[in-house]
Amino acid sequence: MQTMPAHAAHHNDREIETLEEFDATVAARGTLAGFRVQAVDLTDRTRELLTTDTAGAVFLGCPMREDAAAKIRTDGALVFPPLPGLPFDPYRALVYSPDELFASLADGYENTPDARAYAWFQQTKADGDIYASMLRAVHDDSVSDALDELLSGTRVVGVMGGHAMRRGTEAYEGAARLGRELARAGFTVATGGGPGAMEAANLGAYAAPYGDEMLADALQLLAKAPGFTPSITEWAMAAFEVRSRWPKGGRSVGIPTWFYGHEPPNPFASHIAKYFANATREDGLLARSNAGVVFLAGAAGTVQEIFDNATPNYYESRGEPTPMVLVDRAHWTEKLPTWPLLKSLARDRSMESRIALVDRIEEAPAALKRLSD
């Protein structure tokens, strides 16, 4: 099964994102001139900073002693100091983990870094503060950079679907089986990172390394807290119970947003690229689904994603069109008749051979394979 590295080695070789990389660079090169050091705690590296050339270097959110900061500024380095009091790090070098976003969950979801970042977003958005909007933009750009590094060289299939799908339903189980099958076929599953269909697909990828009975048992456990209302805390606790019982889950990606703050991220995505700007997040999720997208039954958000994905396929602005599989014929031809329009758009274009409509979720992996050949 194809796996994602915990932190890909494909990033720019002038970027330093861990203390190990910092030490290795100083030892091997003897200089930090022109390097970018991102979110690395350098409090205990004062001697190295005082004795190494840092001309033209940029230090983003790196804690360090004042004498070290003064010296590297004199060298001509740019220092963007850490920003105390923020519930997130705008200069972060890696995407989030579920444990990081849900830290302090035992004290109630409202005390988690995820909930506190949303509260900060709501407050600063209302203020219209230019400084806050700059910090959000820097954060989102850092997350995009980390996500590109994480996914470099992987085949990504997006699974889109509504947040309203509840645990304990047949539809939820179907979406989980889909995620498991895609992961076992060597794909990296990427979702919008929220509850419902998105959580189910991430859960399936999490279950991929285990025997089939693990998913059945996990679905039963989760059904005790079927939705994220009325209590996000209970909903998330049930997910962490599954994670602690089966701790070696498969990898997948969730790409949620604080724009929909009422909607928590799901804890089954091993890597969470969470954004403040929903437009950046939507486009990034679809653009990175380089091996195709499966669209499960959803409402306005999923309809938007279908056409956000169809447009670059129509114009071939990202190169050759990627596969699009819509699941649930009645939903996409009668309830929300998206399929006829998509088919009309595709007519006589190269994307025509890359779209499919299937009745059942079990048919999606085969359709995806057929469209890829």
Side-chain angles (χ1 to χ4, degrees), residues 65-364:
R65 280 185 25 199
E66 192 43 57
D67 51 343
K71 179 264 177 189
I72 66 178
R73 284 195 185 100
T74 307
D75 278 355
L78 268 177
V79 180
F80 292 81
L83 298 161
L86 276 184
F88 62 95
D89 177 2
Y91 306 117
R92 58 180 304 113
L94 305 173
V95 297
Y96 293 94
S97 70
D99 291 325
E100 188 182 356
L101 285 175
F102 284 99
S104 312
L105 180 64
D107 302 327
Y109 170 72
E110 62 281 2
N111 295 300
T112 63
D114 186 62
R116 288 190 297 112
Y118 175 62
W120 176 89
F121 179 32
Q122 287 300 96
Q123 184 198 328
T124 57
K125 201 171 60 167
D127 297 345
D129 179 0
I130 181 67
Y131 177 57
S133 63
M134 183 196 78
L135 292 176
R136 293 197 295 269
V138 170
H139 168 275
D140 285 4
D141 208 46
S142 300
V143 166
S144 286
D145 183 58
L147 188 58
D148 283 340
E149 290 164 12
L150 178 76
L151 295 178
S152 177
T154 59
R155 292 183 304 148
V156 181
V157 172
V159 178
M160 311 293 154
H163 65 259
M165 187 185 284
R166 289 170 76 76
R167 295 165 172 175
T169 61
E170 262 182 59
Y172 185 94
E173 181 179 342
R177 287 176 184 274
L178 172 68
R180 184 174 68 182
E181 190 165 339
L182 291 170
R184 285 177 176 173
F187 294 109
T188 294
V189 172
T191 76
M198 298 172 274
E199 180 189 56
N202 287 127
L203 166 66
Y206 187 89
Y210 288 95
D212 288 0
E213 69 289 343
M214 174 268 176
L215 182 57
D217 293 346
L219 289 166
Q220 225 170 349
L221 266 176
L222 292 170
K224 295 186 299 187
F228 63 96
T229 55
S231 168
I232 293 176
T233 306
E234 281 175 31
W235 173 86
M237 288 284 216
F240 279 101
E241 189 184 336
V242 168
R243 284 171 49 101
S244 63
R245 193 172 293 197
W246 295 279
K248 292 185 164 54
R251 295 169 180 275
S252 68
V253 177
I255 306 182
T257 173
W258 279 294
F259 181 78
Y260 296 126
H262 63 284
E263 211 177 274
N266 81 73
F268 291 112
S270 56
H271 297 79
I272 301 175
K274 191 153 190 179
Y275 288 90
F276 288 106
N278 186 44
T280 310
R281 165 256 190 173
E282 283 279 9
D283 190 58
L285 172 55
L286 293 163
R288 289 177 178 87
S289 297
N290 55 12
V293 183
V294 178
F295 297 91
L296 305 177
T302 312
V303 171
Q304 181 185 344
E305 285 161 347
I306 288 172
F307 292 105
D308 277 348
N309 198 44
T311 303
N313 282 345
Y314 179 89
Y315 290 113
E316 298 190 45
S317 54
R318 292 188 188 129
E320 214 173 296
T322 49
M324 298 177 68
V325 179
L326 277 61
V327 177
D328 190 337
R329 190 175 299 274
H331 186 83
W332 295 123
T333 60
E334 294 162 28
K335 191 175 178 188
L336 296 172
T338 307
W339 174 251
L341 177 53
L342 183 64
K343 217 174 148 190
S344 300
L345 264 180
R347 192 168 297 127
D348 299 328
R349 300 186 81 87
S350 56
M351 71 180 279
E352 191 169 20
S353 62
R354 295 295 176 92
I355 62 170
L357 174 66
V358 298
D359 273 318
R360 295 176 312 113
I361 209 161
E362 292 78 15
E363 301 170 66

